[in-house]
């Protein structure tokens, strides 16, 4: 039998012991010569409070709310996970779609509406938000297609402005047609605002989109009128359900040249909110019959179940006034070519009779004094018969009396009097003739 060298046995034992100990060292790992691919999934982050949610998660929440026709508050964010998406389509490429191949950091956002879970992929700032599955409200899809067909457009050309859940009072979705009968049963559905080529349209549907009723563009839901006051107001405004605003001065020739604008997105949303909330409103405010009395009326075709309080009506009137100021801002800037005018109604009458003077094309907010002259009595800037302040659209009204005597006590004997409207500095003047009858 061959004898084994003692030193060899010891060396082999030490080598074996080193291998065993090396395998037990914490954190030991095999070094690879090639890098690993980015992990599909990183650690899920706990749901933070609303103030610290990633903006991308909030944008995904809003996207889902619009898609299924609910408010953002009804969409629950159940989880947010940091992800490294493998391409620019956020790993949700569609057949035939070209996607950049760079890795895109972002989030996997899980949402819930009425117990139904939805998955959204986003980039880090939410500029790219994609649903993992089709989440389009079938009613919205039906409304888009119906509008596209009526306009001869593609559904891809239609932008969704707002989707508002609502309960319609009848089977016609409150868009009654002449000669058509409507069931009295309430219908759950949506008021859907869509935009094409810069114009907004309203389409009403039931819950699943099997009933779609476009609202005629001429469906006016708000009418406002104001006249009188020290500023001599006479203003009209109307708004359709689709946000088309028309209005102008109801004085003289200006009443036939209404201006037109569209509500902006915030104004449109506010209008829809009030329409869904309040019952119809018929408001009348009329001062006692005194000089400069003010009259203001408001008709609002609400479809809700809440009766508006005085505070609600005042808020609506304030909003209408803001919209009217927006409408007035569309007037072209003065070029100095408009000539201030003055008209007398009636143009003749007996002395001591009442005369209404109407001015147009005057600077807004300008004080105007009224004077009287004739062929025998010269204009005197210190003798002021009446005063007014220029109101909406550069117009004013003031009531005066054709005097029987001049300020110096002399009897008025002229066959023709001249009313003169003038700014206090005399820089702008206009005149109107008044024939004296016996």
């Amino acid at each position: 039998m061959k004898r084994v060298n003692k030193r060899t046995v010891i060396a082999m034992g030490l080598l074996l012991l080193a291998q065993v100990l090396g395998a037990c060292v914490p954190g030991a790992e095999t070094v690879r010569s090639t890098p690993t691919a980015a992990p599909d999934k990183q650690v899920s982050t706990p749901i933070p409070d609303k103030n610290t949610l990633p903006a991308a998660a909030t944008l995904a929440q809003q996207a889902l709310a619009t898609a299924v026709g609910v408010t953002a508050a009804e969409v629950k964010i159940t989880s947010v996970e940091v992800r490294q998406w493998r391409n620019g389509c956020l790993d949700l490429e569609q057949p035939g779609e070209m996607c950049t191949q760079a890795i895109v950091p972002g989030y996997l956002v899980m949402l819930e509406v009425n117990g139904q879970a939805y998955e959204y992929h986003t980039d880090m700032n939410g500029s790219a938000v994609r649903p993992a599955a089709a989440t389009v409200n079938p009613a919205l899809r039906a409304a888009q297609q119906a509008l596209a067909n009526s306009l001869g457009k593609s559904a891809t050309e239609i932008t969704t402005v707002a989707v508002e859940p609502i309960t319609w009072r009848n089977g016609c979705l409150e868009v009654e047609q002449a000669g058509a009968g409507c069931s009295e049963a309430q219908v759950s559905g949506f008021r859907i605002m869509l935009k094409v080529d810069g114009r907004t349209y309203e389409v009403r549907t039931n819950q699943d989109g099997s009933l779609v009723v476009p609202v005629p563009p001429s469906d006016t839901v708000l009418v406002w009128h104001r006249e009188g006051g020290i500023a001599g107001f006479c203003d009209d405004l109307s708004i359709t359900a689709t946000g088309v605003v028309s209005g102008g001065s109801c004085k003289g020739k200006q009443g036939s040249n209404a201006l037109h604008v569209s509500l902006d997105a915030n104004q449109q949303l506010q209008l829809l909110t009030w329409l869904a909330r309040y019952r119809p409103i018929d408001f009348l405010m009329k001062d006692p019959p005194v000089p400069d009395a003010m009259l203001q009326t408001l008709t609002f075709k609400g479809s809700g179940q809440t009766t508006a309080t005085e505070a609600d009506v005042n808020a609506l009137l304030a909003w209408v006034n803001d919209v009217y100021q927006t409408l007035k801002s569309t007037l072209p800037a003065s070029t100095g070519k408009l000539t201030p005018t003055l008209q007398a109604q009636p143009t003749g009458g007996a002395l001591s009779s009442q005369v209404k003077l109407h001015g147009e094309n005057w600077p807004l907010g300008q004080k105007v004094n009224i004077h009287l002259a004739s062929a025998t009595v010269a204009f005197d800037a210190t003798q002021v018969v009446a005063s007014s302040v220029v109101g909406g659209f550069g117009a004013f009204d003031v009531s005066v009396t054709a005097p029987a005597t001049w300020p110096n006590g002399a009897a008025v004997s002229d066959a023709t009097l001249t009313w003169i409207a003038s700014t206090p500095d005399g820089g702008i003047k206009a005149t109107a003739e008044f024939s004296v009858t016996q």
Side-chain angles (χ1 to χ4, degrees), residues 220 222-224 236-240 244-247:
T220 301
L222 184 150
V223 177
W224 172 76
D236 286 318
L237 183 79
S238 65
I239 305 177
T240 70
V244 177
V245 182
S246 302

Side-chain angles (χ1 to χ4, degrees), residues 362-363 366-370 384 386-390 396 420-424:
W362 291 76
Q366 176 67 61
K367 180 180 179 180
V368 178
N369 292 329
I370 303 299
V384 178
S387 295
S388 186
V389 176
V390 179
F396 69 87
I420 303 171
S422 172
T423 55

